[in-house]
Amino acid sequence: MSYKAKDFSHLLGAPGFSDKLLNAHFKLYEGYVAHINKLIDFLKTADIETQAYDEMKRRFAWEFNGMRLHEAYFGNMTKQFRALEPNSNLARQMTASFGSVEAWEKDFRAVSGMRGIGWAVLAWDPEGKNLFNIWINEHDRGHLFYAVPLLVNDVFEHAYILDYGMERKTYINAIFKVIDWVEVEKRFGAVVKPAMAHAH
């Protein structure tokens, strides 16, 4: 089975993001999809006794997560912005985990602004019933085992440099104006028991 790149062209015209930037970013994502397919094909026929096999196995998570993180990122963007519902299960859980939705946002912005290349992710720990804002370095370091990503922000320079240069804070402001909270709440609803959220 091979993976197919998803079409995110409906995001063209999103406020704060030029078509040039988005199209370049889509192309980069499509490269990850192509590379994971090549890697899967290579591993099917590679000699498992070789160093090449070992190294490609080690690289697998990097390529695969590069594909999936981009899909989650584009998937939680929208041209039709609607604010997070303050009485939603997600907003209530943010308050339980961070003290308030505003405190969550301040922390997520801080993680998004950290030095380095990677991703800022709002993740749900179903075991501890808690939300965390985490930093994923590149694609494969920093994931919390069992945790489910709900909101993903790409903070590699390629996500913003064409429009914002090195002004990452300005890019973060732009991201907050295109978050698809309907999608983020849907992701949360898919992994949390409704009764749990009401219990807080």
Side-chain angles (χ1 to χ4, degrees):
M1 185 195 113
S2 61
Y3 291 95
K4 290 184 180 178
K6 296 180 180 179
D7 181 8
F8 294 105
S9 60
H10 63 276
L11 293 175
L12 294 172
F17 294 81
S18 68
D19 287 357
K20 183 178 180 181
L21 171 65
L22 287 172
N23 280 320
H25 206 170
F26 297 156
K27 191 171 182 181
L28 183 139
Y29 151 66
E30 289 161 6
Y32 282 109
V33 179
H35 276 88
I36 198 65
N37 286 327
K38 288 177 184 175
L39 191 47
I40 289 170
D41 287 343
F42 171 83
L43 291 171
K44 281 178 184 174
T45 58
D47 181 350
I48 61 173
E49 302 295 329
T50 63
Q51 188 176 5
Y53 177 86
D54 293 351
E55 292 307 312
M56 290 301 101
K57 267 292 185 183
R58 289 190 180 101
R59 188 174 178 82
F60 187 85
W62 194 91
E63 295 285 3
F64 188 88
N65 290 339
M67 173 179 70
R68 286 290 188 242
L69 283 162
H70 277 99
E71 289 173 352
Y73 168 72
F74 294 132
N76 58 220
M77 291 175 68
T78 182
K79 287 193 290 190
Q80 284 82 39
F81 176 77
R82 197 171 76 201
L84 175 65
E85 290 289 338
N87 293 319
S88 66
N89 286 342
L90 178 59
R92 282 203 291 271
Q93 185 59 54
M94 284 176 169
T95 299
S97 295
F98 292 91
S100 67
V101 173
E102 292 74 22
W104 165 79
E105 180 176 329
K106 184 178 180 181
D107 188 70
F108 192 81
R109 285 176 178 269
V111 176
S112 294
M114 285 167 48
R115 288 181 301 144
I117 52 173
W119 307 78
V121 175
L122 169 63
W124 168 246
D125 170 27
E127 186 71 20
K129 295 181 171 48
N130 208 2
L131 291 170
F132 295 98
N133 290 325
I134 63 173
W135 172 267
I136 294 173
N137 199 55
E138 295 206 10
H139 306 314
D140 54 341
R141 285 175 287 170
H143 293 269
L144 302 184
F145 199 65
Y146 281 145
V148 180
L150 305 176
L151 173 65
V152 173
N153 186 19
D154 187 347
V155 290
F156 276 78
E157 282 86 354
H158 65 243
Y160 58 86
I161 199 165
L162 282 176
D163 287 352
Y164 296 103
M166 297 306 291
E167 298 297 320
R168 193 190 286 187
K169 284 187 178 179
T170 311
Y171 161 68
I172 295 167
N173 289 337
I175 274 289
F176 267 86
K177 294 173 184 173
V178 295
I179 293 174
D180 186 349
W181 285 113
V182 174
E183 172 62 21
V184 178
E185 288 183 55
K186 185 172 148 190
R187 292 173 184 175
F188 184 58
V191 294
V192 69
K193 293 175 182 175
M196 181 286 306
H198 289 296
H200 288 280

